[in-house]
């Protein structure tokens, strides 16, 4: 029997970075026509392995075979020429250009304005074949994150890739967009293409992947396990090396005084259109209020208005009874407001600065870190080292630039900075996005500890499971308004409210 060669084989891949062994003799096998999930804790070496396969990094040792033939890539271009393409978490599209222009960018094909419409047709057709909903003439800046991801996929399909590597593609998508993506991936494998799917969401892996490979600290702990032969619990154990509890203990607690009060708040989005249409709500000390909403229903704007990053066009924001409407971000920090932002790399951290600089960013003006006009370097470093330990930030040292950290460890840097300030009010946007199951458990415990310490917490999460596990009250937002408020875990009612199917009369 003539066996179909594997789409890709990686043998004995080794990759060192200063102070880290990111891949330690990793073997990885990808079959033709399969969706293969790559799982592992934050920093396990998933992105590194795939960056090697996509021609971005050179391995220190090991071999790669594509359809049985040894290859040696010097650039992503080389990899694409062999039919291997990767989509990273941060897209590389040019906002001012159209979808078609972006896809043609960097190709050698002649491009004449007169032919652009012909290309548009071609893109539309290709998109349709794989269930990608795109408008070739649209400018990229007009597109949602999910649509931009579709453009990235189309770009790879247009280049004829046989193997598509996606690094945490669902982390930025809303639930329905995830289903759309899965349809596209299934359409691709039905044509014999192969997909590598990196994700931390075990449920998704079980749903969409045929097989799964698990990495732990740079080594393979399960190679090509069939998803039909495993369970969520087993995968979690393979990743973390211990049993992971999917249940948290939340102590009953009577909330204290109102810390955050929003009165009829209005604001516009970046395009100048109304994003908040009169939002009123309150959060008390020692209480977690969860905001359930599908992306784009005003929740980002709401968080920004409270943290001084966006102007209110109407209404009032009060913290501990004091009117802080349209104060600066720095002033809100002074009032004890902490913020775990959605966008980690731009708003959340300064990528080129060290872990130390990033964790002290908000406290350097106060003693003991401030010494007269200068910064007490030793105190700063000591504080950073303590936080690195407490928040389990995996990095060679506190001097490491945060841009070199894995996605999950970057999130821990932000959490360390924000939670260590003992906030009175914490605005947490998708605090566990991109974290591995063990880390999610850790962060959720940290949030509950903040609640017990008396912080008022406004939690934004697209994971209903997370909202249920942590919240004392659940507020549903739809199209910039509050659609309802619940204390019970009624998925059906919440789902209806999130999609505009039901609205509650409220007095608050
Ligand atoms: N360019 C780099 N320079 C230095 N160290 C790096 C670099 N890229 C990755 N690392 C380190 O290699 C290790 C593996 O990182 P990698 O990004 O592959 O992890 P990951 O499994 O993708 O994690 P996550 O789930 O958090 O994204 C980490 O310790 C990371 O800090
Ligand atoms: Mg990664």
């Amino acid at each position: 029997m003539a066996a179909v060669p594997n789409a890709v084989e990686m043998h004995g891949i080794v990759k060192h970075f200063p102070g880290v062994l990111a891949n330690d003799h990793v073997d990885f096998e990808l079959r033709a026509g399969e969706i293969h999930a790559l799982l592992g804790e934050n920093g396990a070496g998933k992105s590194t392995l795939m960056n090697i396969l996509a021609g971005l990094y050179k391995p220190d040792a090991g071999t790669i075979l594509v359809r049985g033939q040894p290859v040696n890539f010097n650039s992503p271009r080389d990899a694409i020429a062999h039919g291997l393409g990767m989509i990273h978490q941060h897209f590389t599209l040019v906002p001012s250009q159209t979808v078609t222009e972006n896809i043609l960018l960097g190709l050698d094909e002649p491009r004449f304005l007169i032919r652009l419409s012909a290309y548009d047709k071609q893109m539309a057709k290709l998109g349709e074949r794989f269930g990608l909903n795109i408008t070739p003439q649209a400018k990229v800046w007009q597109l949602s994150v999910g649509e931009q991801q579709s453009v990235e996929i189309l770009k790879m399909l247009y280049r004829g890739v046989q193997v598509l590597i996606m690094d945490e593609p669902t982390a930025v998508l809303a639930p329905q967009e995830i289903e759309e993506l899965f349809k596209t991936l299934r359409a691709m494998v039905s044509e014999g293409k192969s997909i590598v799917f990196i994700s931390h969401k075990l449920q998704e892996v079980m749903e969409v992947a045929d097989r799964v490979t698990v990495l732990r600290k740079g080594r393979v702990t399960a190679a090509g396990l069939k998803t039909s032969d495993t369970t969520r619990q087993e995968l979690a154990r393979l990743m973390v090396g211990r049993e992971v509890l999917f249940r948290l203990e939340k102590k009953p607690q009577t909330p204290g005084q109102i810390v955050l009060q929003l009165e009829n708040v209005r604001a516009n989005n970046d395009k100048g259109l109304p994003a908040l249409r009169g939002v009123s709500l309150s959060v008390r000390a020692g209480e977690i209020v969860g905001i359930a909403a599908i992306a784009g229903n005003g929740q980002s704007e709401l968080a920004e208005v409270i943290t001084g990053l966006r102007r209110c066009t109407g209404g009032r924001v009060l913290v501990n009874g004091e009117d802080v409407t349209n104060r600066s971000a720095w002033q809100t920090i002074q009032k004890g407001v902490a913020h775990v932002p959605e966008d980690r790399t731009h708003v959340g951290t300064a990528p080129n600065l060290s872990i130390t600089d990033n964790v002290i960013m908000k406290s350097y003006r106060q003693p003991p870190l401030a010494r007269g006009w200068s910064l007490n370097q030793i105190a700063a470093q000591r504080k950073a080292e303590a936080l690195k330990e407490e928040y389990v930030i995996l990095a060679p040292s506190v001097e490491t630039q945060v841009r070199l950290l894995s996605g999950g460890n970057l999130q821990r840097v932000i959490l360390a900075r924000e939670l260590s300030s003992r906030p009175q009010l914490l605005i947490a946007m998708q605090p566990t996005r991109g974290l591995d199951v063990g880390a999610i458990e850790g962060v959720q415990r940290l949030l509950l500890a903040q609640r017990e310490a008396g912080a008022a917490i406004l939690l934004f999460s697209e994971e209903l499971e997370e909202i249920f596990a942590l919240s004392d009250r659940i507020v549903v937002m739809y199209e910039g308004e509050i659609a309802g408020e619940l204390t019970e875990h009624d998925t059906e009612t919440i789902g209806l409210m999130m999609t505009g199917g039901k609205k509650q009369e409220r007095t608050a």
Side-chain angles (χ1 to χ4, degrees):
M1 193 180 85
V4 183
N6 281 321
V8 168
E9 282 177 29
M10 301 177 86
H11 294 293
I13 301 293
V14 176
K15 182 72 185 174
H16 287 270
F17 291 113
V20 205
L21 180 52
N23 287 159
D24 183 3
H25 296 89
V26 174
D27 295 331
F28 177 71
E29 176 204 276
L30 179 67
R31 294 184 188 153
E34 75 167 345
I35 301 181
H36 196 130
L38 193 54
L39 269 176
E41 286 181 288
N42 296 128
K46 304 177 297 292
S47 298
T48 302
L49 187 70
M50 289 303 119
N51 281 327
I52 290 172
L53 187 56
L56 210 67
Y57 295 159
K58 285 218 140 231
D60 302 337
T63 50
I64 302 175
L65 306 180
V66 174
R67 286 178 296 278
Q69 299 301 311
V71 292
N72 207 335
F73 300 147
N74 288 310
S75 69
R77 226 171 212 265
D78 274 357
I80 286 176
H82 284 82
L84 272 55
M86 177 159 174
I87 300 180
H88 299 269
Q89 255 194 277
H90 296 108
F91 304 149
T92 51
L93 302 170
V94 182
S96 60
Q97 299 208 328
T98 70
V99 169
T100 299
E101 285 166 338
N102 265 282
I103 292 170
L104 295 177
L105 207 69
L107 290 178
D108 298 330
E109 293 174 44
R111 284 160 48 208
F112 302 109
L113 214 53
I114 202 154
R115 296 274 316 276
L116 210 52
S117 66
Y119 280 116
D120 282 345
K121 282 209 190 84
Q122 224 178 326
M123 300 304 165
K125 217 171 136 202
L126 190 61
E128 210 170 297
R129 181 164 132 211
F130 292 100
L132 292 166
N133 183 16
I134 55 130
T135 312
Q137 300 87 346
K139 302 263 194 216
V140 162
W141 66 262
Q142 297 173 309
L143 305 181
S144 71
V145 178
E147 290 165 328
Q148 291 183 32
Q149 187 178 69
S150 297
V151 178
E152 294 277 8
I153 297 174
L154 195 60
K155 193 165 149 186
M156 289 300 160
L157 288 169
Y158 190 76
R159 283 157 176 69
V161 301
Q162 280 300 317
V163 171
L164 183 67
I165 304 160
M166 300 195 80
D167 198 348
E168 296 190 42
T170 59
V172 292
L173 300 181
Q176 326 91 291
E177 292 176 316
I178 293 174
E179 285 310 313
E180 299 284 313
L181 171 68
F182 287 176
K183 275 189 209 147
T184 297
L185 299 186
R186 290 191 185 109
M188 289 176 67
V189 293
S190 74
E191 294 199 8
K193 296 179 191 291
S194 311
I195 313 280
V196 181
F197 174 75
I198 302 180
S199 172
H200 287 292
K201 300 185 199 169
L202 300 177
Q203 217 171 306
E204 289 178 355
V205 167
M206 295 297 282
E207 180 188 337
V208 77
D210 301 298
R211 295 197 302 150
V212 46
T213 290
V214 184
L215 289 180
R216 179 163 152 66
K217 300 192 161 75
R219 293 196 190 158
V220 175
T221 54
L225 199 64
K226 271 193 183 162
T227 45
S228 53
D229 291 345
T230 187
T231 61
R232 246 176 95 169
Q233 268 74 17
E234 189 189 12
L235 290 176
R237 188 157 14 89
L238 286 165
M239 283 170 62
V240 185
R242 65 171 168 89
E243 211 58 53
V244 177
L245 303 170
F246 286 101
R247 201 174 294 137
L248 286 167
E249 212 186 318
K250 199 170 103 203
K251 294 195 184 131
Q253 186 165 300
T254 313
Q257 291 197 342
I258 292 180
V259 177
L260 173 69
Q261 175 120 32
L262 301 177
E263 292 174 356
N264 208 15
V265 167
R266 295 174 178 277
N268 293 337
N269 63 18
D270 289 341
K271 293 173 190 163
L273 302 169
L276 297 176
R277 307 159 188 260
V279 171
S280 299
L281 68 87
S282 61
V283 187
R284 293 173 177 274
E287 178 185 47
I288 299 182
V289 174
I291 303 272
I294 293 169
N297 278 282
Q299 62 270 58
S300 310
E301 288 83 1
L302 185 61
E304 288 168 358
V305 154
I306 301 166
T307 51
L309 295 171
R310 181 176 297 272
R311 283 192 68 77
C312 290
T313 54
R316 296 204 304 164
V317 179
L318 298 119
V319 174
N320 285 324
E322 190 182 338
D323 191 339
V324 298
T325 318
N326 292 331
R327 296 272 183 87
S328 71
W330 182 252
Q331 284 170 311
T332 60
I333 292 168
Q334 303 303 302
K335 301 284 168 230
V337 181
H339 183 205
V340 176
E342 199 170 14
D343 178 349
R344 287 172 206 169
T345 31
H346 299 108
V347 181
T349 55
N352 291 323
L353 296 185
S354 67
I355 293 178
T356 303
D357 292 337
N358 272 281
V359 291
I360 65 161
M361 218 174 249
K362 287 187 174 170
S363 45
Y364 71 95
R365 295 196 200 183
Q366 296 139 15
L369 298 186
R371 203 168 46 187
W373 287 104
S374 70
L375 175 71
N376 184 340
Q377 279 295 350
I378 294 167
Q381 188 169 341
R382 214 174 286 140
K383 174 169 174 172
E385 268 157 13
L387 290 175
K388 179 173 180 285
E389 176 123 2
E390 186 181 348
Y391 288 84
V392 204
I393 299 165
L394 299 175
S397 86
V398 290
E399 295 316 310
T400 306
Q401 294 182 349
V402 298
R403 71 183 169 86
L404 299 179
L405 297 182
S406 78
N409 282 303
L410 185 62
Q411 179 71 339
R412 293 176 204 202
V413 169
I414 297 171
L415 287 163
R417 180 185 65 217
E418 298 299 325
L419 300 187
S420 66
S421 68
R422 298 182 162 275
Q424 296 193 39
L425 171 64
L426 174 64
I427 309 297
M429 289 292 280
Q430 320 290 354
T432 59
R433 180 184 272 177
L435 295 184
D436 63 59
V437 284
I440 288 175
E441 196 190 74
V443 169
Q444 292 183 338
R445 279 179 205 285
L446 285 171
L447 292 175
L448 289 177
Q450 292 288 325
R451 167 183 177 267
E452 272 169 40
I457 302 175
L458 191 60
L459 168 73
F460 297 77
S461 176
E462 277 160 23
E463 308 285 332
L464 272 188
E465 217 176 307
E466 175 159 273
I467 297 265
F468 286 159
L470 298 175
S471 309
D472 298 295
R473 286 189 288 134
I474 300 165
V475 169
V476 186
M477 277 183 81
Y478 177 71
E479 293 198 333
E481 289 183 73
I482 291 187
E485 184 182 316
L486 302 90
T487 45
E488 68 276 21
H489 298 173
D490 178 352
T491 312
E492 197 179 324
T493 307
I494 292 181
L496 270 175
M497 286 177 172
M498 281 168 81
T499 50
K502 186 169 177 170
K503 201 169 173 210
Q504 213 178 41
E505 289 308 314
R506 272 173 98 242
T507 43

